[in-house]
Amino acid sequence: MCRIRGMFWLSTLQGIPVLQAEVNDATIANVASEIVGMAASHQVATTATAQTVVRTAVILDTSNWEAMAAAMVVVRMLAPRFMLEPTDAPLIIPASMSLPDAVTYVLFICTNGALVAEPCVRTIVAAKERGLPVLPIIAEDNFLFPSKNFVDVNRHVLSQILRSMGDHENNIERFAAIPAIFNTIGVTFNVKMESELGLKIRSEEIHERIRMATTRVVYHQAESGRSRDSPTMADLPSGSSADGKVLQDLPSGNSTSSFASAGE
């Protein structure tokens, strides 16, 4: 019965017709692109929704297949953890898209070459200039971390990226933000080498880092938006509560220190 149901389920799925006579390198490449497109359809931000919906952005070198695979697995494994807060669920930012205004946290898929890839560099600089936290996701075991001389070593490439960004003053110091993101301890996420259990553990760590950062952002927004018309405890006369009621004095000996002592 399970096999029959399984076969019926397979018949309902979208397929990609390929004739045996058409099997060649070009056809295989086209099929691979379609498969990736299907898988990414719910994982990649769209221009229509990105500016208001995406709060956790995934940036990567989209020309690197290892990076793309890691990003898609990260997004897929994290999605169920954000069912109650879907706007916090990570989405991949296409290379052609600038960093959305609503983003409060960035996951950077680290692969060799990404640190000099224009879309990655542009987005990292934008994130750091906005004061956003960037979490490095190390997707390759042989990933080369940037040295202290990163900007000087890559000055020629970075200068070209600056011009493409519209910065004709050659303000190369902006790229000091790139090695600075590795002051934050990253998370290794190698889809080729890790077991399913290992990837699950890594995804849980990434989720916790996003959750903690999002909580801090919400707290700071609430603090900055607090109206002075709403009195805080510091504004109230001694013995009053925020709703205007008088707080009853605690009986002698029942101070908070007494409660702490009782709980020891």
Side-chain angles (χ1 to χ4, degrees), residues 109-128:
I109 306 297
C110 299
T111 52
N112 288 317
L115 295 178
V116 290
E118 181 182 338
C120 293
V121 171
R122 184 182 65 241
T123 308
I124 290 172
V125 170
K128 297 306 290 183

Side-chain angles (χ1 to χ4, degrees), residues 12-216:
T12 65
L13 300 180
Q14 180 181 353
I16 303 175
V18 179
L19 298 177
Q20 185 173 358
E22 297 177 349
V23 176
N24 51 48
D25 291 345
T27 302
I28 293 173
N30 289 335
V31 170
S33 296
E34 286 195 45
I35 293 173
V36 170
M38 290 177 186
S41 60
H42 299 292
Q43 298 173 311
V44 179
T46 62
T47 304
T49 60
Q51 296 302 324
T52 57
V53 173
V54 181
R55 285 165 53 177
T56 304
V58 182
I59 60 175
L60 66 147
D61 178 6
T62 54
S63 67
N64 186 309
W65 286 100
E66 293 294 333
M68 197 67 190
M72 292 173 68
V73 173
V74 165
V75 171
R76 177 63 62 87
M77 295 188 77
L78 288 175
R81 302 179 181 279
F82 292 97
M83 294 185 67
L84 297 180
E85 294 290 342
T87 56
D88 289 336
L91 285 177
I92 297 169
I93 303 300
S96 59
M97 184 184 296
S98 59
L99 189 66
D101 296 336
V103 169
T104 58
Y105 198 77
V106 175
L107 304 179
F108 174 40
I109 306 297
C110 299
T111 52
N112 288 317
L115 295 178
V116 290
E118 181 182 338
C120 293
V121 171
R122 184 182 65 241
T123 308
I124 290 172
V125 170
K128 297 306 290 183
E129 290 180 346
R130 283 166 50 179
L132 303 181
V134 179
L135 176 64
I137 308 295
I138 314 302
E140 290 182 342
D141 287 344
N142 63 342
F143 174 72
L144 298 177
F145 290 87
S147 66
K148 292 185 293 184
N149 300 322
F150 170 81
V151 174
D152 291 331
V153 171
N154 298 283
R155 183 174 292 272
H156 178 67
V157 175
L158 296 177
S159 295
Q160 291 179 329
I161 295 175
L162 268 179
R163 287 192 290 273
S164 71
M165 293 169 59
D167 186 339
H168 300 290
E169 297 181 2
N170 201 31
N171 187 12
I172 203 75
E173 291 76 16
R174 295 175 69 184
F175 296 116
I178 295 175
I181 68 174
F182 295 96
N183 294 335
T184 299
I185 298 175
V187 178
T188 302
F189 198 92
N190 191 323
V191 295
K192 185 183 294 184
M193 304 299 294
E194 289 273 11
S195 64
E196 183 176 354
L197 177 59
L199 292 177
K200 181 179 179 181
I201 293 172
R202 304 293 188 187
S203 66
E204 289 174 353
E205 181 178 354
I206 295 170
H207 170 254
E208 183 63 16
R209 301 279 282 272
I210 296 172
R211 188 191 64 80
M212 292 175 63
T214 303
T215 301
R216 285 196 294 269

